[in-house]
Amino acid sequence: MSKPRVLFVYDIPDERYWKDGLWAAINLLGEDFQIVPLNLALGKTDPPFPDSDWNIDFMLGWGGFNSRVDKWLSRSPFKKGLCLAGYGFPPSEDFRYDVIFYEEEWAKQWLLQRSSYRPEQLVHAFGVNTDIFNISDPSTSVWDYTTVGAFSEWK
């Protein structure tokens, strides 16, 4: 049985330095899904397969509202989701995602107040897994501060 096919649309100018949590998550999803990447920053605007082969099950984008990724996905009739990156613009009511993956609880509230998305369409999928990343005994810590994220030129 073949894996469900997901077109992952993103906009990263230099992928050599892209090794953050999203990168790891997409690679992990590759265990259960056939991930077909499309990087708009490389000047590609057509999917990496022929029109006759649009047999994808889902489109997943990474970007903010009104970004190149958002605009590209808005032209597609397929089921789609957005890994929300950036909160500069409110969502358009002219174009709807089937699901939005957000990072922080305030982002969910922001979306609920500024759009007609329902809570079940908003999924908390980013952030820190405190079941793994925690300090059970702070007195044994060798670090004064811990920060989350990856420092990158493109962020």
Side-chain angles (χ1 to χ4, degrees), residues 49-108:
F49 43 82
D51 287 343
S52 61
D53 194 25
W54 270 93
N55 60 342
I56 60 169
D57 299 289
F58 191 73
M59 289 185 159
L60 180 63
W62 179 68
F65 296 116
N66 206 34
S67 67
R68 264 199 312 191
V69 170
D70 181 57
K71 290 174 184 176
W72 193 92
L73 287 171
S74 71
R75 300 188 318 248
S76 165
F78 297 99
K79 284 189 172 239
K80 61 186 100 23
L82 181 69
C83 297
L84 186 57
Y87 304 92
F89 297 95
S92 168
E93 289 302 315
D94 297 331
F95 164 61
R96 306 278 301 165
Y97 289 96
D98 296 286
V99 63
I100 294 179
F101 301 97
Y102 64 90
E103 186 170 0
E104 300 288 341
E105 182 59 30
W106 67 262
K108 177 181 180 181

Side-chain angles (χ1 to χ4, degrees), residues 26-46:
I26 295 301
N27 283 300
L28 186 62
L29 286 173
E31 294 177 8
D32 297 314
F33 300 92
Q34 180 187 354
I35 305 295
V36 180
L38 176 61
N39 186 355
L40 300 179
L42 301 179
K44 299 176 182 175
T45 57
D46 294 323

Side-chain angles (χ1 to χ4, degrees), residues 9-23:
V9 183
Y10 56 104
D11 187 6
I12 298 178
D14 192 342
E15 293 182 62
R16 294 177 298 168
Y17 302 109
W18 181 36
K19 300 290 188 265
D20 62 3
L22 178 65
W23 176 86

